[in-house]
Amino acid sequence: MFIGEYTFNLDDSHRLNIPNSFKKYLEETLVIAKGFEKCLYLYNLSDWKVISEKVNNLSFTKSINRKFSRSLNSGAYELEIDSKGRICISQKLIDYAGLTKECVILGVSNRIEIWSKEEYDKYSSENDNILAQLGEEMDI
């Protein structure tokens, strides 16, 4: 399970360190994909297969399902962590998420989210009270 918030720099070769505390939970093959709210999602391949199966079970006769499947899968790439504990992010995904130098890496249960520092700071300031509000609504 991935938890916590970390900040690392994206290097000039598009490599990003993965927090040491996450590495023990990572499989050999990972999938990085476009996420919601302009971030990237990083999954173990086995978790990605579960998501992919759910998407594959949607009726392809509905336009919204086809659009979602296309968007999700066309923005996903398999990758591996290198010997120094880094992943290499494609330029397309860097552009999508607006990654520059400083990146925020979040552990979100079964996935890792990668945000540009600017986008994450903006998201955080707009959603400061979300935990209490959602906890109350969800009766947690």
Side-chain angles (χ1 to χ4, degrees):
M1 177 168 72
F2 304 109
I3 57 173
E5 177 181 324
Y6 304 85
T7 303
F8 287 99
N9 288 331
L10 187 66
D11 72 16
D12 293 336
S13 298
H14 303 167
R15 294 175 302 207
L16 184 67
N17 284 316
I18 297 299
N20 286 333
S21 62
F22 290 177
K23 291 176 187 167
K24 62 185 168 192
Y25 300 112
L26 292 173
E27 297 170 359
E28 186 175 328
T29 303
L30 308 172
V31 174
I32 190 166
K34 293 178 182 177
F36 305 129
E37 291 101 14
K38 285 192 70 175
C39 71
L40 302 177
Y41 293 162
L42 184 64
Y43 286 97
N44 282 314
L45 181 59
S46 61
D47 290 322
W48 179 259
K49 286 179 179 179
V50 171
I51 293 166
S52 185
E53 185 65 29
K54 287 179 182 179
V55 172
N56 286 339
N57 286 330
L58 297 172
S59 172
F60 77 93
T61 60
K62 292 186 178 180
S63 174
I64 190 89
N65 294 347
R66 292 190 309 273
K67 289 177 186 176
F68 182 75
S69 179
R70 251 181 237 119
S71 181
L72 184 70
N73 288 296
S74 67
Y77 303 88
E78 285 188 17
L79 52 78
E80 294 179 1
I81 293 182
D82 70 14
S83 62
K84 295 186 179 178
R86 303 170 299 190
I87 58 169
C88 187
I89 304 173
S90 73
Q91 187 64 50
K92 279 188 170 201
L93 292 179
I94 288 171
D95 293 343
Y96 169 79
L99 302 180
T100 53
K101 184 108 178 138
E102 203 170 10
C103 298
V104 176
I105 302 174
L106 305 176
V108 187
S109 190
N110 71 331
R111 73 175 178 275
I112 297 168
E113 292 185 355
I114 302 168
W115 293 73
S116 77
K117 174 96 168 79
E118 296 80 19
E119 280 296 320
Y120 186 69
D121 287 346
K122 179 180 168 188
Y123 173 83
S124 292
S125 68
E126 292 172 355
N127 293 283
D128 269 347
N129 298 321
I130 198 87
L131 182 62
Q133 179 186 350
L134 291 177
E136 184 176 319
E137 288 178 23
M138 296 170 69
D139 197 25
I140 293 178

